[in-house]
Amino acid sequence: MSGATSSTATVLRLREARNRMLEALGLGETYPVRDLPVPNERLTVAFNDIATIKIEISETGVDYGLRNKTGDAVGATVKGTGKSVALTTPPIRDDVTFTIHARAPNGREADLLTTAGVKVGLDLSLAAIVLPEDGPSPRILSYNTAITVRLPSSQDGVDYRLVRFVNGDPAHPDDVAAAAQDDVVSVGQAVRGTGGPIELASKPLQADTEIRIRATKTFDAALARPTQTNLLAIRLRIYVRANPDLSLAPEPGAIVDFLSVPKIRLAAAQGGVDYRAVLLRLPDTAFAQGAPPGPGLLAVPVPGQPDVMIRLPSLAAADPSAVPQGFALGADWQPGANADLRLILPQATADSVVAIAARKTHATGTTSFSSWIWLRQMLAVLVRPNPKPGLSVTVTLAGAATDGAMTIAGGQAGVYYTPRTAQPVPAVLPAYVHQGSPEDANVNKGIGQLELEVDFAVTRDGQPPLPPVVETGASAVGTSWTIGAMKAQSRVGIDLPNPAVITAVPAAQLTAALIDRGSIAHVMVPASAAADSYALFQETSADDIAIGAARDGNGQALDFASAAIANDMVLVLSATSKAAIPVRRRIRFPVAVRPDPTCPVRAGDAAVPAGNRAKILVDKTQTEMSYQLVAAGAPVGAAQPGNGDTLALLTDPISANTTFSITATRLNPPVATATLAATATVTLKQN
């Protein structure tokens, strides 16, 4: 378009006012003002469409019209109003420049200095915006989200569609044949322009995309004009976050061996996206025992058991660019390559939930930025019990068989241990190993400590709990016990690879079953076995108390000495096998103590009136003994059991000076009696 520069609005109005005054005073006739502003923008129309040419600040009463290059008037004239007026062209078939002719009411005529050019073709300078208009910049969308593009001022009769070019702009964007190969992003048919605003809807977007808009004008066949097409100049850059719906699978499966190295397979991990695994060790509260499937629960099949129902944590408020509180890093960022990706986790030691974060880097041309998301799917990795849990077994031998009880010590916290053998035995309840409370290391949780959603198992009171004792029934020496281990919460189980074998103990004997008070007892192992470790204990109601250090067998005789023994007790010789599951075999040796003849004896009253009774006091009595008062070789009164302290024995009425002695006799086998060395004399008081 071309034309002279117009005057300012103020100057034009002053000149118009001047001309009207000249004519009103009869001083002369004036010509129309010629340097009126005629805006030239947006004068591109499709073939056979009309254009609108505006005259700004028209003169009141002046007729304006368009003339072609031959000077012929085209289109209708409009009368000036003092404001903007519009002239409509006839249908445009070729590029054309119009002259604007002005005729004043007095008949004076003139062409405006500015001409109006109209081009035939597609307007490629149209504006376009992504809705909502106030959306963020840069525009970041979730994966598989569609957009809507608005053209505020479309060309009437032109078809528009959204396209993209992954490998860069086409060499000939106006090539109609090549345009048929466009990667079309629009949904449905192209949208026809109306001269006003139109909206174009896209397909769901799955990758960062530069949206282009193709404009196409198709003519009626009768016009014999080729289709016109081209791309609007505007480029709309859309950034798309990573796909949150990748399919995840644990390898080799959801249940893995203790200390194995599991992997998480991400199917078709996206190129340009990095992935990271984080782990949450499952607390007991995460297991929904017996719950039906439902939202927020993950079911993990366990062979031979009901599905494990796990309450999944919520990551809605967690930043995927950081490791959430309570989680630990499982596998650091690894790049996807549009193929399966495997994230290698640490050695498996505890049941865990696995969450995957995705980080995508977006290039803007000059800089880059990243977006993060959590993948929707979470996985659980359940770990089988430790096959080498540091377990030990204790049995008490009574002859060639056990006494029917088995103590199971050590083991992995939170695990049931159940012994079984090929020989028929009564059903054996599992032994449960308590685990510490995560809130307080000094408190144990589980059965007998805190309520726990697991089945009944054998435990023992104490803090920490004492090793549980299960009833197996008498079991012959040589029996091999398989130990089944099962997680209390997940019910994932294995058989420990090594059995607990109850082997014989070489002959052992107590050198003396009856000893003097304060003496030392000896337990002899004539031919110790190198495969065993031996130790001597004192049996108590709670547990055995070690006497001295353990000693390895060497094929030779071993002599185990007790400490000084004051009262009856049971010594225990234990022989512990050096097997993968050590079996401690206990042999009980009751040790009896002879009466102590050194207990002090004294008269409560050294002299009493005739016919009165007296008390004979025995100090430091033994609880295993009964004490009998004796005078002149004959018992006096009934025998009384020792109380560990002073015992008072009542005499018959005293009629003469009498010396009393005391005999002490064991209450339980073996039989032993002794006369205390001390005596007590009671005399008659003289009147």
Side-chain angles (χ1 to χ4, degrees):
M1 297 185 183
S2 62
T5 304
S6 59
S7 299
T8 65
T10 301
V11 170
L12 289 173
R13 289 191 172 94
L14 288 173
R15 287 164 56 196
E16 182 185 7
R18 178 203 63 187
N19 291 348
R20 288 199 303 272
M21 181 176 291
L22 289 173
E23 290 186 354
L25 295 175
L27 298 178
E29 294 181 348
T30 60
Y31 285 87
V33 177
R34 300 181 64 198
D35 55 351
L36 298 179
V38 179
N40 288 333
E41 67 270 14
R42 311 200 65 78
L43 290 179
T44 299
V45 296
F47 178 82
N48 218 34
D49 283 351
I50 63 173
T52 299
I53 298 173
K54 292 182 179 180
I55 303 171
E56 302 287 357
I57 318 174
S58 62
E59 283 190 272
T60 303
V62 175
D63 293 324
Y64 296 95
L66 298 176
R67 295 191 177 183
N68 60 22
K69 62 182 180 179
T70 61
D72 297 327
V74 294
T77 62
V78 296
K79 191 173 292 291
T81 62
K83 298 180 181 179
S84 175
V85 295
L87 298 172
T88 302
T89 72
I92 304 298
R93 295 173 178 267
D94 297 291
D95 292 352
V96 60
T97 299
F98 292 102
T99 300
I100 302 174
H101 186 74
R103 180 183 177 85
N106 60 14
R108 301 289 181 178
E109 299 178 77
D111 291 336
L112 300 191
L113 298 177
T114 302
T115 59
V118 181
K119 290 185 176 182
V120 175
L122 301 173
D123 187 351
L124 305 183
S125 65
L126 297 180
I129 57 174
V130 178
L131 299 180
E133 190 171 356
D134 60 352
S137 181
R139 189 62 60 95
I140 307 175
L141 305 178
S142 296
Y143 185 85
N144 230 27
T145 299
I147 62 169
T148 299
V149 175
R150 174 180 289 168
L151 275 65
S153 182
S154 62
Q155 272 187 277
D156 188 22
V158 175
D159 294 330
Y160 297 92
R161 67 185 183 190
L162 305 178
V163 296
R164 62 186 166 199
F165 303 100
V166 176
N167 297 319
D169 291 348
H172 302 286
D174 57 351
D175 185 336
V176 175
Q181 307 303 316
D182 285 352
D183 183 0
V184 179
V185 183
S186 293
V187 175
Q189 300 296 320
V191 177
R192 177 147 298 179
T194 62
I198 61 171
E199 293 182 356
L200 307 173
S202 79
K203 300 174 183 177
L205 301 177
Q206 299 174 342
D208 291 357
T209 304
E210 184 177 76
I211 299 291
R212 303 297 304 276
I213 302 172
R214 180 171 288 283
T216 303
K217 174 66 176 179
T218 303
F219 299 96
D220 188 279
L223 297 176
R225 287 186 62 89
T227 298
Q228 289 182 309
T229 189
N230 214 324
L231 299 173
L232 301 191
I234 194 165
R235 300 170 186 267
L236 303 173
R237 189 69 182 170
I238 305 297
Y239 301 96
V240 179
R241 297 182 180 91
N243 181 3
D245 294 315
L246 297 188
S247 176
L248 309 181
E251 292 183 349
I255 301 175
V256 300
D257 290 336
F258 186 80
L259 291 185
S260 65
V261 180
K263 302 179 182 66
I264 302 298
R265 177 174 59 83
L266 285 67
Q270 291 177 276
V273 178
D274 298 326
Y275 299 90
R276 175 170 69 183
V278 293
L279 304 178
L280 175 65
R281 182 169 179 158
L282 289 175
D284 287 346
T285 53
F287 291 89
Q289 299 287 348
L297 292 177
L298 174 65
V300 180
V302 176
Q305 298 290 341
D307 289 353
V308 176
M309 304 303 294
I310 297 171
R311 297 182 179 94
L312 294 175
S314 173
L315 293 176
D319 179 3
S321 68
V323 177
Q325 185 176 5
F327 283 74
L329 181 63
D332 214 346
W333 298 108
Q334 297 293 323
N338 296 318
D340 287 357
L341 173 67
R342 287 168 172 82
L343 300 179
I344 301 175
L345 302 180
Q347 282 187 315
T349 59
D351 300 337
S352 300
V353 160
V354 184
I356 307 295
R359 176 184 66 191
K360 186 174 181 180
T361 301
H362 309 274
T364 64
T366 56
T367 60
S368 64
F369 65 95
S370 296
S371 63
W372 291 266
I373 63 164
W374 292 108
L375 300 192
R376 292 191 216 281
Q377 185 183 358
M378 290 189 200
L379 297 175
V381 175
L382 304 181
V383 183
R384 296 183 179 95
N386 183 354
K388 299 178 180 179
L391 199 71
S392 66
V393 167
T394 298
V395 295
T396 298
L397 296 181
T402 69
D403 64 357
M406 178 184 290
T407 302
I408 297 177
Q412 185 180 359
V415 173
Y416 291 147
Y417 292 99
T418 307
R420 69 176 188 275
T421 181
Q423 299 150 354
V425 295
V428 179
L429 287 173
Y432 180 71
V433 179
H434 288 276
Q435 53 187 330
S437 167
E439 288 78 24
D440 185 351
N442 296 318
V443 175
N444 283 271
K445 61 188 297 185
I447 300 170
Q449 305 294 315
L450 297 174
E451 184 177 350
L452 185 67
E453 295 174 332
V454 295
D455 293 339
F456 183 73
V458 175
T459 64
R460 288 172 71 194
D461 291 337
Q463 190 64 266
L466 297 174
V469 178
V470 298
E471 296 297 328
T472 62
S475 150
V477 169
T479 300
S480 178
W481 290 89
T482 298
I483 307 293
M486 184 173 71
K487 292 282 194 73
Q489 290 290 358
S490 68
R491 305 193 74 82
V492 172
I494 62 169
D495 284 343
L496 300 187
N498 299 297
V501 181
I502 301 173
T503 57
V505 177
Q509 60 188 19
L510 192 63
T511 56
L514 183 64
I515 63 174
D516 292 337
R517 180 185 175 99
S519 296
I520 293 173
H522 291 264
V523 177
M524 297 292 297
V525 182
S528 61
D532 284 332
S533 173
Y534 298 87
L536 188 65
F537 296 83
Q538 177 185 345
E539 185 179 77
T540 67
S541 59
D543 209 346
D544 294 340
I545 298 175
I547 302 174
R551 286 185 276 169
D552 289 336
N554 55 13
Q556 305 298 315
L558 296 179
D559 180 3
F560 292 89
S562 72
I565 297 175
N567 299 294
D568 289 2
M569 69 168 56
V570 175
L571 295 178
V572 173
L573 177 73
S574 74
T576 304
S577 61
K578 299 176 181 178
I581 297 182
V583 178
R584 177 174 175 250
R585 292 96 72 212
R586 301 171 72 250
I587 301 177
R588 302 174 72 251
F589 294 99
V591 177
V593 177
R594 293 188 180 91
D596 183 4
T598 65
C599 294
V601 178
R602 54 192 172 89
D605 295 302
V608 297
N612 285 359
R613 297 176 185 271
K615 289 182 179 179
I616 305 301
L617 304 178
V618 184
D619 295 326
K620 300 180 181 179
T621 57
Q622 295 175 264
T623 56
E624 298 92 351
M625 310 299 168
S626 68
Y627 293 87
Q628 178 65 59
L629 186 64
V630 177
V636 177
Q640 296 185 37
N643 58 11
D645 199 353
T646 299
L647 188 67
L649 301 175
L650 192 62
T651 69
D652 290 336
I654 300 297
S655 58
N657 294 343
T658 307
T659 298
F660 295 93
S661 61
I662 306 294
T663 60
T665 303
R666 288 185 50 80
L667 292 169
N668 300 310
V671 176
T673 300
T675 300
L676 304 188
T679 61
T681 301
V682 178
T683 61
L684 291 175
K685 280 187 178 180
Q686 300 297 322
N687 292 331

